[in-house]
Amino acid sequence: MAKRLLNDDRLFPADANTRPIAKRLYATVRDLPIVSPHGHTQARWMLENEAFSDPARLLIIPDHYIFRMLYSQGISLDELGIGSPSLDDPRRVWRIFAKHYYLFRGTPTRLWLDFAFEELFGLVDRLSSENADAYYDTIVAHLQRPEFRPRALYQRFRIEVLATTDSPLDSLSHHEAIRESSFKGRIIPTFRPDAVVDPDFDQFPENLSRLGQVTQQDTGSWHGYLSALRKRRLEFKAVGCTATDHGHPTAATADLGPDAAAQLFQRVASGNADAGDCELFRAQMLTEMARMSLDDGLVMQIHPGSYRNHNDQVFRRYGRDAGADIPMPTNYVHALGPLLNRFGNEAGLTVIVFTLDESTYSRELAPLAGHYPCLRLGPAWWFHDSPEGMMRFRELTTETAGFYNTVGFNDDTRAFLSIPARHDVSRRVDCSFLARLVAEHRLDEDEAVQVVSDLAYGLARKAYKL
Amino acid sequence: MAKRLLNDDRLFPADANTRPIAKRLYATVRDLPIVSPHGHTQARWMLENEAFSDPARLLIIPDHYIFRMLYSQGISLDELGIGSPSLDDPRRVWRIFAKHYYLFRGTPTRLWLDFAFEELFGLVDRLSSENADAYYDTIVAHLQRPEFRPRALYQRFRIEVLATTDSPLDSLSHHEAIRESSFKGRIIPTFRPDAVVDPDFDQFPENLSRLGQVTQQDTGSWHGYLSALRKRRLEFKAVGCTATDHGHPTAATADLGPDAAAQLFQRVASGNADAGDCELFRAQMLTEMARMSLDDGLVMQIHPGSYRNHNDQVFRRYGRDAGADIPMPTNYVHALGPLLNRFGNEAGLTVIVFTLDESTYSRELAPLAGHYPCLRLGPAWWFHDSPEGMMRFRELTTETAGFYNTVGFNDDTRAFLSIPARHDVSRRVDCSFLARLVAEHRLDEDEAVQVVSDLAYGLARKAYKL
Amino acid sequence: MAKRLLNDDRLFPADANTRPIAKRLYATVRDLPIVSPHGHTQARWMLENEAFSDPARLLIIPDHYIFRMLYSQGISLDELGIGSPSLDDPRRVWRIFAKHYYLFRGTPTRLWLDFAFEELFGLVDRLSSENADAYYDTIVAHLQRPEFRPRALYQRFRIEVLATTDSPLDSLSHHEAIRESSFKGRIIPTFRPDAVVDPDFDQFPENLSRLGQVTQQDTGSWHGYLSALRKRRLEFKAVGCTATDHGHPTAATADLGPDAAAQLFQRVASGNADAGDCELFRAQMLTEMARMSLDDGLVMQIHPGSYRNHNDQVFRRYGRDAGADIPMPTNYVHALGPLLNRFGNEAGLTVIVFTLDESTYSRELAPLAGHYPCLRLGPAWWFHDSPEGMMRFRELTTETAGFYNTVGFNDDTRAFLSIPARHDVSRRVDCSFLARLVAEHRLDEDEAVQVVSDLAYGLARKAYKL
């Protein structure tokens, strides 16, 4: 048997009665196009279509899953080139990573990387100190080829649509230019207004001013501020955007009257807000966003529950997204009440909720999504975007919310090369879950075939209006 | 092989070593009588013994598991005939349900309904739009037959005892009449005093007055109020009641001195209570109920942790039990402290605790039940009354509380026809759990045979004193 | 086939593809030495090397897992001889236990005891009322033999190092004497300062005075108090101690300035502290302990989240450790913040964190340990030191923290005879988890061999600096 990093049966249950069912189901979805409605790749890559430079810059520096694990085992971020503007010796970083590849045993990172190593670069020996240089050279050589440019990979990955994440303060010029280019891929922005909606965001007052300039609205007033957001949403929509995204610390929502909201805005905009005001403002803005969604049709995503930048020293030296965001206990049943009581029964609204607190799956989220017409459950997120995490998501939500109150898979990645690997993991895990239901005679196999296709493809298109 | 909706091996593990053990265990309990110590069927049905009218009124309108799922996918409750006094076109409701039967894939509702469809009505094709009318006509035809009257079904289901749920303000006339009738079934009430114990209950002051009238006690005084409750408990007991049930928002208990309790009662009874008073009063009343149980021997059930009527609009239009009750995080370790410190060491007291917060199984409930002589764990409840939910219950409680601090199964149903299906699911899941323990050599099979019989039958009789 | 209590394949997955892998992995670790870095056996036993007296005193009286279960089912602690200075009739206690051995079905206690019964005493019939006396006599006879003395068992169990738990107020004379004796075993103390660090501890003011006497420091001042602790830590270290242990109600840490800390100490030491002060003092002391660990190299263990002595009546009559400690919801992400922000990036510090709240595994603990260089995850603890509990620990932590941010197994036992049984359960469960990863092609078998050896032996040595 030829040497491989990847076994064709990986992630399927070992049970001899169940695995064949999983394989049959997987065969029906393996080659479906990829719908990627939520992620953090860069539109610029597709526009410029330049070659990726080297494995360290491509796979390690931007991937907090990787460098946080190395850091946890005593490897300094400086050694890894994190936070420095230039990377003097990418091969040295790669060797450090290769030497510590054993740390990723049992993690999804290992699955994603092995997939890329074998599928893209034809590497079939497990990465180690011994073959670190050979890996490095092989990857570099491949990246120089035309078929490893971003647009070629987009086609190779069978991506049908790819959403980026964008601030209202971002120019959408890359997206506009892509639409006018010869590239036939569908790259769309997502409206993520945290920078102008969260008073605790870096440079919030300046951000408000910039929003005013960008939109030519008076963002010093509540009315003008809302107009600016409404206008910007439409501009996003004009270049293909179908969804907004909201990364708040909690899931709190509020439903203030117009006067109270305007007064709150004045305190927040003038820098006279206390912590309670800031939280209330974020809460109110979720309800305002829902109101705007009823007008413009954008789907809302709420991603709460991350304690950002938990490590002060790391934050001061390396900034955001340095691997020190930690999940918190998150309440949904009380927090979402105000928004749901205002708009929860609107069939025209779609609110997709995510969690980092798995105890809420069966206790709060599945019961809420199994009742409110507007609510859908986002897939297992971030630390839970993993085989065990995905399986728990299905086990803990399906019996109450069913499959059709979920929205398929989000790869949520900054690492372009990991996109097919992540979708493949998701498809395999869903096939394994469904295969067990079939093997236990809880679902017929012809139904499982329909469900797995919906989970892999159909539900994402429908939920995100793609 | 003849077409079937039900596979004989359903819900058993697919593993070839484990399934045969599960089947052997199941064969020993499949035909045991049904003990149903907690549920929401109507004594009137058994008294009047009239034919059920049609599948929509029988299976859909009263089942919030069903209509909440349909509502979550954009089907209005009006279309389903919820909340309207009459149901003009039950066949139309049935067709809507049939068209959306795919939504229930992977849910316990699907298991329960398929069981009834095949076992009771001989239907063997999966319900769909195509066969909706044929289903409807078949079910209607069956319901007209004498053997589908409630009393006949009670016998057919091998029910040994069936508990209903009743307010102290309910006349027990149906129960009394059944006892005097020729019907040999054992239908018993459960004393559920929420309406006169929870100051936030609809029309609480009027309810106090009515309790006074019913009992001819002065329910304007703490002393008279307690006397009224004591008297009413004895009247319940006289018609077969063995248990009380308490559906509070939290598990809070309190142990006030007599004077403080009396003063609290005065505030509550006079409508001068704030939210804290209301919570404290409910808390105190659980301890009062425990005290009364020590006298009259009634078993106490505490069902906390549901945020009732989360959807204001649905509540205003359709009332209670409209599918919008959502579980909340629930604390037991502090909340039950006052009651347990007063009466927790009384071997003569039985307090059965339920939860909607599965994170408490291994953290709080199993450790508490594995210590306090009075405490027993109720089975997986409501949203967790499902194959995965039941399995988690066993996996998360057994190692600390064992099997003998649990109380067997509660079907907890409003849907009479689902009773055998629900008990069958429970028996199959317990057999599957035990089969794994046997297959992993953690328990001998002869012991598993004893345990599964206790879980299916013996423990419910013992815990509820039946 | 000869009768056995123990099947060689116990605890391995039943699946025919996975079990052989688990068996192969287990064969590589079954005979590894036992490293026991955290437990509650007595150094005195090893020093005096006297025969254990009888099965009741050896197995039941000191084991709260056993007597709490019996108590929960209505057997009084008096009947079991708990809390009485002498035990008049140990055989009678044994008979009670044997009669109720069925209560332990499905619990780890059953696994541990059956292991000892067969492996040590050659008993192969399941314990019951019928054979209770035969069991008793067999065990008594064995205990009289030289090869059942503590030192002989230590060798027989292949223990390489055994840590006890000791107060700063304890004389270390037993440890000193063992080191000077002919016994070649490695028995080391653990520095557990709760009695002088937790203002809510029994006789805290007297404990401070005694600490002053023992160390000849002025423990009436903050400075002298810290000096006393520093000195005592070094004295522990001199007799082999490598770790401290902290059993606080919560995981709260604080990082006060020196003046504020000194003032807080004065309030606490003078008995003028309120509940908030006490909690803050415990919190501050964890950070002080971390500071001292940076100097003296002792590894820190934090064991939070137990509500001690939940049952007042039992506590008043039978004292501590009477089976009434109950886990509480525990927050780590906020609680550990102050300590981590002070010392979390110190690669020279090791802080091992445990939990009784399994909802924190994937939500807080694995993400924290997968980032902070100082943090490691202790194994599944206390109520979760069980096959299902250990499996959940791996399933919920590995994908985020990997294997190498965990520290191997702690037997944490008061029952010397259970040590090999507990390590055996842990090794079998880890083999089962790894076998599944291998069977699902998520890890290669040669890697699993390395991992399982680290989990069984290497990581404990490394994390505890043994």
Side-chain angles (χ1 to χ4, degrees), chain A residues 15 17-18 331 333-334 337 340-342 345 359 362-364 367-373 376 395-396 398-405 436-437 439-444 446-447 450-451, chain B residues 7 9-12 14-16 19 68-69 71-73 102-103 105-108 110 126 307 310-314 323-324 326-329 356-359 383-384 386-389 392:
Chain A
D15 173 60
N17 293 312
T18 312
N331 178 285
V333 65
H334 296 99
L340 291 173
N341 270 308
R342 170 62 66 161
N345 298 294
S359 75
S362 69
R363 187 180 58 214
E364 299 169 51
L368 285 165
H371 167 70
Y372 282 101
R376 294 291 181 274
E395 290 171 351
L396 288 158
T398 304
E399 293 180 318
T400 290
F403 293 105
Y404 292 90
N405 284 308
R436 181 163 69 85
L437 296 195
E440 295 177 356
H441 304 290
R442 293 157 65 180
L443 194 67
D444 297 330
D446 68 306
E447 298 181 282
Q450 291 177 34
V451 170
Chain B
N7 187 293
D9 291 348
R10 67 189 179 278
L11 292 169
F12 295 147
D15 173 61
R19 181 169 287 184
R68 77 192 307 278
M69 175 68 92
Y71 185 66
S72 78
Q73 288 279 315
Y102 73 96
L103 296 175
R105 288 170 181 162
T107 71
R110 164 72 177 268
R126 196 162 63 225
Y307 187 120
H310 190 269
N311 189 327
D312 288 350
Q313 291 175 39
V314 164
I326 309 291
M328 291 183 287
L356 292 172
D357 179 354
E358 293 179 299
S359 74
F383 296 105
H384 313 311
S386 63
E388 305 289 333
R392 283 194 293 272

Side-chain angles (χ1 to χ4, degrees), chain A residues 198-200 249 264 268 272-282:
Chain A
D198 178 357
D200 291 324
L264 175 62
V268 158
N272 293 315
D274 60 18
D277 283 337
C278 293
E279 175 72 354
L280 183 59
F281 188 72
R282 287 186 293 264

Side-chain angles (χ1 to χ4, degrees), chain A residues 222 256-267 280 284:
Chain A
W222 175 235
L256 303 175
D259 292 348
Q263 289 161 18
L264 175 62
F265 176 77
Q266 288 309 327
R267 289 199 298 281
L280 183 59
Q284 178 62 24

Side-chain angles (χ1 to χ4, degrees), chain A residues 106-144:
Chain A
T107 70
T109 294
R110 165 73 177 267
L111 295 170
W112 300 332
L113 286 171
D114 278 359
F115 186 99
F117 292 157
E118 176 168 327
E119 290 280 319
L120 291 177
F121 305 116
L123 296 159
V124 296
D125 287 307
R126 197 163 64 225
L127 178 62
S128 67
S129 278
E130 285 66 41
N131 62 19
D133 281 341
Y135 254 74
Y136 190 90
D137 295 333
T138 300
I139 294 172
V140 166
H142 279 75
L143 293 178
Q144 302 312 313

